Amino acid sequence: MIDRFHHLFVAPADFDKSLAFYRDALGWSVSAAWGEGRGERGVMLSGGAVTIVIAEKPADDRTGRPNLHLDIHDIDKRFSTLPPGTRVVRPPEATHWGTRWFVVEDPDGNQIAFEEVHGATR
């Protein structure tokens, strides 16, 4: 079983300023965008071998969001390997963007998303 890096999530204090920094200052290209005019905005940007997502926080989000997203090819199998006592923030479930994931928390409260992204579109 291999955990593959997929993307880092950056929680912006100001979405427009963050987008301008990554897109204009760093020259990264926008590979996907969502929410313009109908909800929380977000973009996926590529800097070559690095992908980040910046997105506005939903008003009802009280749990925080994962910063590290890993691409897993069998969510249920990977979830079954977690040892007892692992802090599970979200058990395996479908996401509204067309993937499946589960989220755990490390001892410092950092959230890590294990996500089945292959075959999904963002």
Side-chain angles (χ1 to χ4, degrees), residues 19-81:
L19 174 58
F21 173 77
Y22 288 100
R23 183 191 59 210
D24 304 334
L26 297 184
W28 291 14
S29 60
V30 174
S31 57
W34 58 90
E36 192 64 44
R38 63 182 199 289
E40 295 88 13
R41 296 175 296 165
V43 294
M44 180 176 277
L45 300 112
S46 174
V50 174
T51 301
I52 65 160
V53 169
I54 58 174
E56 294 175 316
K57 183 176 182 175
D60 62 350
D61 184 359
R62 293 183 183 93
T63 63
R65 294 189 280 182
N67 291 94
L68 176 61
H69 288 249
L70 303 174
D71 180 8
I72 307 302
H73 286 270
D74 187 336
I75 287 297
D76 297 313
K77 183 176 180 181
R78 183 65 177 96
F79 186 76
S80 73
T81 69

Side-chain angles (χ1 to χ4, degrees), residues 74-98:
D74 187 336
I75 287 297
D76 297 313
K77 183 176 180 181
R78 183 65 177 96
F79 186 76
S80 73
T81 69
L82 296 176
T86 301
R87 168 84 169 100
V88 176
V89 177
R90 293 181 180 273
E93 64 184 5
T95 66
H96 66 274
W97 54 88

